Amino acid sequence: MESGVETANPLTAFYPAIRARLVTSSEAAAWPAFAAEVAGQFGRHSLPPPVLLPLASAAAVGGDPARAVGVAAAFSFLLLSVRWFDDTQDRDRDDALCVRLGPARATNLAAGALNLAWSTLAADSALPRSVLAAFGQETTAIARGQDDDLLGLEAVSFEAYWRRMVDKTGAGFALACRLGALAGRDEPAPVAVLARFGRHLGTMVQILDDLDGAFHPNGIGDLASGKVTLPVLYALQAEHAGSEELGEIVRRGQLAAQAGRVRELLDGTDTREFLVWSAFEERDRAFAELATLGPATDEITALGRAALEAIAAGLIADWETLLVPEQVTDVAQEAVVPTRRAYFGRSSAGGSA
């Protein structure tokens, strides 16, 4: 049984079909080392719930979710590619592929996963050609956002970083929903709605991922890596007793050296509260987009929209327990954090950009 929202989501019945498509595509590449890594990733870990977004989106616009199995497999390859590229560039996790195989091979396998995402879509004759055009457009946006991150442009301002989240991680989730909707019903208006739903959902995920990276990192963490992400940028513009000290630490490039002190300064503000509130706002905006589609007129459409809402709700589950960290026991935190990481793909094949 997969972890997360599957017990409430009948679309999880498609997990075996998605896995089968992943295996078929990877074995067809005639690259045993790559096929072994894919089998290890998707066989050893649960498929992350966002993999179901294409199927739910296809159903939400009145289409057959089975038509989006290929899209779900392609999105799985894309998530894997992004994770491998991201780990190779960031070098902040001891269990990353680049640590085990070296950065050169990890980069090569990440490129292979991206190419297989494309070829999986191209080989599916049931999908409209517009799917390929959308894939190229959104994956280019993801790469552009990652390049801005590598250039260090994320620290310019809170507003600039927020736009980067929307254009990068938001683009990835928009892609999953947009392609799924195209597979179900190739009509511009509902497809655009599902893309906007996905963009809000991806932005929500990145907000929570940044919060996790600052306060509950898996590996080195954002602060110890010297990354100026959303929690720090918010605290830099907020009024609080430690604002000058925090600003000086960032200006001097001492974020990594003083990660513990920075975390204390962040906890002296409403940083956690603001970010969790912002995440819920993005979730609600995603739900509002779905509402513009009007009432569901059949069982499949209702199932798809309910599945999208269930995935969104699952991705933000349990975050309210961490709003006041000193009032949450270590046992409670240990029960919650691994669950959230599974949602984001931190301990599985996928993950946010």
Side-chain angles (χ1 to χ4, degrees), residues 157-160 162 230-240 243 246-247 269-271 274:
S157 68
F158 178 87
E159 291 76 14
W162 191 279
L230 197 64
V232 173
L233 288 168
Y234 172 74
L236 283 173
Q237 69 167 17
E239 294 184 7
H240 56 95
S243 59
L246 178 62
T269 72
D270 64 342
T271 297
F274 175 79

Side-chain angles (χ1 to χ4, degrees), residues 22-273:
L22 289 166
V23 171
T24 300
S25 296
S26 59
E27 290 181 347
W31 186 359
F34 178 84
E37 291 297 335
V38 171
Q41 288 290 329
F42 293 121
R44 185 169 62 246
H45 303 298
S46 300
L47 291 175
V51 166
L52 294 177
L53 286 172
L55 288 87
S57 297
V61 297
D64 181 358
R67 288 172 53 88
V69 168
V71 176
F75 185 55
S76 299
F77 279 127
L78 178 61
L79 289 174
L80 188 59
S81 173
V82 167
R83 173 54 57 204
W84 284 346
F85 275 130
D86 201 48
D87 284 344
T88 302
Q89 292 162 354
D90 293 345
R91 310 289 180 91
D92 58 357
R93 295 200 305 133
D94 293 337
D95 61 344
L97 184 70
C98 62
V99 175
R100 181 160 50 85
L101 300 184
R105 289 198 66 203
T107 299
N108 200 41
L109 265 68
L114 180 59
N115 288 333
L116 267 185
W118 176 273
S119 63
T120 299
L121 294 174
D124 194 334
S125 59
L127 297 177
R129 293 287 298 174
S130 53
V131 164
L132 294 178
F135 182 84
Q137 179 183 9
E138 296 291 2
T139 52
T140 300
I142 295 170
R144 183 176 64 242
Q146 178 68 0
D147 193 49
D148 286 345
D149 282 352
L150 294 173
L151 289 171
L153 298 180
E154 73 276 12
V156 171
S157 68
F158 178 87
E159 291 76 14
Y161 187 88
W162 191 279
R163 290 193 298 271
R164 188 90 15 88
M165 291 193 309
V166 174
D167 292 340
K168 182 184 170 186
T169 310
F173 280 71
L175 173 66
C177 296
R178 182 178 177 187
L179 297 191
L182 283 169
R185 180 181 170 192
D186 190 2
E187 295 183 12
V191 168
V193 169
L194 267 296
R196 291 194 294 271
F197 170 90
R199 202 167 296 276
H200 285 300
L201 194 62
T203 303
M204 181 194 82
V205 165
Q206 189 61 57
I207 293 168
L208 296 175
D209 197 50
D210 278 11
L211 189 54
D212 206 18
F215 295 103
H216 297 279
N218 180 28
I220 297 174
D222 291 341
L223 298 180
S225 299
K227 295 180 182 178
V228 181
T229 58
L230 197 64
V232 173
L233 288 168
Y234 172 74
L236 283 173
Q237 69 167 17
E239 294 184 7
H240 56 95
S243 59
E244 291 187 8
E245 181 182 357
L246 178 62
E248 191 65 16
I249 290 172
V250 173
R251 280 192 296 273
R252 292 185 177 183
Q254 297 180 340
L255 192 63
Q258 299 195 46
R261 176 55 181 160
V262 170
R263 191 171 290 110
E264 291 176 357
L265 292 172
L266 295 180
D267 272 331
T269 72
D270 64 342
T271 297
R272 293 181 190 240
E273 291 84 350

